[in-house]
Amino acid sequence: MKKNLIIMSLGALLCYTSCESKKDEEKKEESKLLVTSPILKDTTVTNDYVCQIHAIQHIELRALEKGYLKQIFVDEGKFVRKGQLLFQILPVQYQAEVQKAEAEANFVEVEYKNTKLLADSNIVSRNELALAKAKLDKAKAELAVAKVHLGFTEIRAPFDGIIDHFQVRLGSLLNEGDLLTTLSDNSKMWVYYNVQEAEYLNYKSTTQGNKLMTVNLSMANHQLFDHQGIVETIEADFNNETGNIAFRATFPNPKGLLRHGETGNIQMVVPFKNALIIPQKATFEVLEKKYVFVVGKDNIVHSKEITISAEMPDLYVVESGISANDKILLEGIRKVKDNTKIVYDYEEPQKVLANLRVYAE
């Protein structure tokens, strides 16, 4: 009987030890964390920039002479052609001045002709003929000036465009220089947006020769504009306060959808050479700074601050802080802290990126 009890006790002890060993193995298996490395590759990042949309020509139409507004020949928001009559200021005074100048010119011309006949017959001197000629030239010049002033009472379109809101109404008393309306040529649009210095340098370092970059325009309704724009101009100077420089893209506007003063977002593809890429989920944030856990010697993790130069869906392009040879913790970030020793499985970065379904070119 005693022998049986000893055998049963040994069996129970062996069973307990086996179960505990199995639990330890499962616990060890569960505590394994996933580690990967950054990857170096060429890629492109699509950045959004708030932009201002301007007509390629946008001018103010102002009164050139003083007077009452006699007629308006167009309506607000209408398309007008170059040379089309838009406004007319009451021309009575200027018509009278033209008639007076014409009469004076005719009178002086008759005097000149008579003086010339007398000079040809040597009755008067050549100096008197020259004086009569000078009077005639002066009278013709005054007539030309009077006609110019009369022409100023007609306001015509200097180019094809769209008339904006009227600042005056029929019968308004105008002074010289008073604003009547504005005129916009919307056949092409200039779109201005500001680019940070680092992105400008990336753009210039990857642009070959005179090749121009194409960009897309996301309108206020979050729809993409039908046509792509071309970055034709970069301003000369950086803004020292913001560290930005202004780019200008030109968009065709054949349907006239875009108008002067609209806003939107430019989508510009910025290329990165040998970009150091990591998954976003491998990072954590402390006081608005980004960190990763780097696996060091003896599998001990240490936190390192990193600087992000660009962001893509699920990915970051790292500017500094780690290298392509480092191993970083991918999963289980909340389970560790500095100087924690871990057990991990390593996954190749190409496989990690493929699982994130992000395509980097």
Side-chain angles (χ1 to χ4, degrees):
M1 184 70 177
K2 187 175 180 181
K3 186 177 181 180
N4 290 337
L5 287 172
I6 292 172
I7 292 171
M8 289 176 65
S9 297
L10 287 171
L13 180 61
L14 289 170
C15 181
Y16 175 79
T17 304
S18 175
C19 291
E20 286 298 315
S21 177
K22 187 175 181 181
K23 286 181 181 178
D24 288 342
E25 286 180 5
E26 289 177 353
K27 186 175 181 181
K28 186 176 180 181
E29 187 70 26
E30 288 175 0
S31 65
K32 274 192 174 182
L33 303 178
L34 191 60
V35 169
T36 188
S37 296
I39 186 170
L40 273 175
K41 66 188 307 178
D42 294 344
T43 188
T44 57
V45 177
T46 300
N47 292 334
D48 281 2
Y49 305 90
V50 176
C51 64
Q52 293 285 336
I53 302 172
H54 294 253
I56 194 170
Q57 291 191 93
H58 180 79
I59 64 167
E60 295 177 340
L61 296 178
R62 294 182 176 273
L64 298 174
E65 293 288 352
K66 181 178 180 180
Y68 287 98
L69 185 58
K70 180 183 178 183
Q71 278 188 289
I72 299 175
F73 297 94
V74 293
D75 199 1
E76 298 172 334
K78 296 299 183 181
F79 181 82
V80 297
R81 293 288 184 186
K82 180 179 179 179
Q84 183 175 337
L85 183 59
L86 309 178
F87 303 94
Q88 186 175 48
I89 300 170
L90 194 63
V92 174
Q93 175 184 349
Y94 301 102
Q95 285 177 340
E97 288 180 356
V98 169
Q99 291 172 354
K100 177 182 177 183
E102 284 178 341
E104 183 68 23
N106 291 335
F107 175 77
V108 174
E109 187 174 8
V110 171
E111 280 191 336
Y112 168 73
K113 288 179 179 179
N114 290 336
T115 303
K116 189 173 185 308
L117 289 173
L118 294 174
D120 290 342
S121 301
N122 295 321
I123 298 174
V124 296
S125 67
R126 289 292 169 181
N127 288 339
E128 195 169 343
L129 177 61
L131 182 60
K133 180 64 168 61
K135 287 182 178 180
L136 177 59
D137 291 341
K138 180 183 177 183
K140 287 182 177 180
E142 289 176 349
L143 174 59
V145 170
K147 287 181 177 180
V148 168
H149 282 286
L150 179 61
F152 284 170
T153 63
E154 294 181 345
I155 311 298
R156 296 180 179 272
F159 52 79
D160 295 352
I162 298 174
I163 290 291
D164 195 20
H165 176 68
F166 293 154
Q167 302 297 322
V168 293
R169 293 293 181 266
L170 212 59
S172 299
L173 176 61
L174 304 176
N175 289 311
E176 183 179 341
D178 282 354
L179 178 63
L180 304 177
T181 186
T182 56
L183 179 65
S184 299
D185 178 2
N186 291 348
S187 59
K188 292 182 180 180
M189 306 302 288
W190 281 346
V191 180
Y192 293 87
Y193 59 101
N194 293 320
V195 175
Q196 293 181 355
E197 185 174 355
E199 293 167 0
Y200 161 80
L201 293 173
N202 286 335
Y203 165 76
K204 294 299 288 185
S205 63
T206 54
T207 302
Q208 298 179 352
N210 295 322
K211 185 178 180 182
L212 299 176
M213 176 182 285
T214 58
V215 293
N216 292 313
L217 172 63
S218 176
M219 297 179 291
N221 61 355
H222 306 295
Q223 298 293 318
L224 280 181
F225 186 56
D226 291 341
H227 303 274
Q228 285 190 315
I230 298 174
V231 178
E232 294 182 330
T233 299
I234 302 174
E235 286 191 1
D237 300 327
F238 276 89
N239 185 321
N240 291 332
E241 295 180 358
T242 63
N244 294 335
I245 192 168
F247 279 48
R248 190 192 80 197
T250 302
F251 284 80
N253 191 31
K255 296 180 181 178
L257 177 62
L258 300 180
R259 297 291 180 102
H260 180 85
E262 283 187 73
T263 59
N265 286 281
I266 285 290
Q267 295 180 350
M268 186 170 81
V269 178
V270 180
F272 282 83
K273 288 280 188 182
N274 292 322
L276 189 67
I277 300 172
I278 63 171
Q280 290 189 14
K281 68 178 184 178
T283 68
F284 62 97
E285 191 171 305
V286 178
L287 298 176
E288 299 184 354
K289 294 181 178 180
K290 299 286 186 186
Y291 293 84
V292 295
F293 279 118
V294 176
V295 182
K297 293 181 179 179
D298 301 324
N299 297 344
I300 295 175
V301 297
H302 303 279
S303 63
K304 277 194 174 182
E305 183 184 348
I306 58 173
T307 303
I308 305 299
S309 60
E311 182 177 346
M312 296 178 284
D314 298 323
L315 298 175
Y316 286 132
V317 177
V318 179
E319 183 177 341
S320 62
I322 55 175
S323 70
N325 298 322
D326 287 328
K327 292 180 180 178
I328 60 173
L329 189 60
L330 180 64
E331 294 180 356
I333 291 174
R334 296 184 181 277
K335 297 179 182 179
V336 301
K337 57 184 179 180
D338 265 338
N339 299 316
T340 300
K341 188 171 184 177
I342 65 170
V343 179
Y344 66 83
D345 286 327
Y346 181 82
E347 189 166 326
E348 292 293 335
Q350 293 88 347
K351 186 177 178 181
V352 173
L353 262 64
N355 290 335
L356 293 173
R357 296 183 181 180
V358 172
Y359 302 93
E361 298 178 1

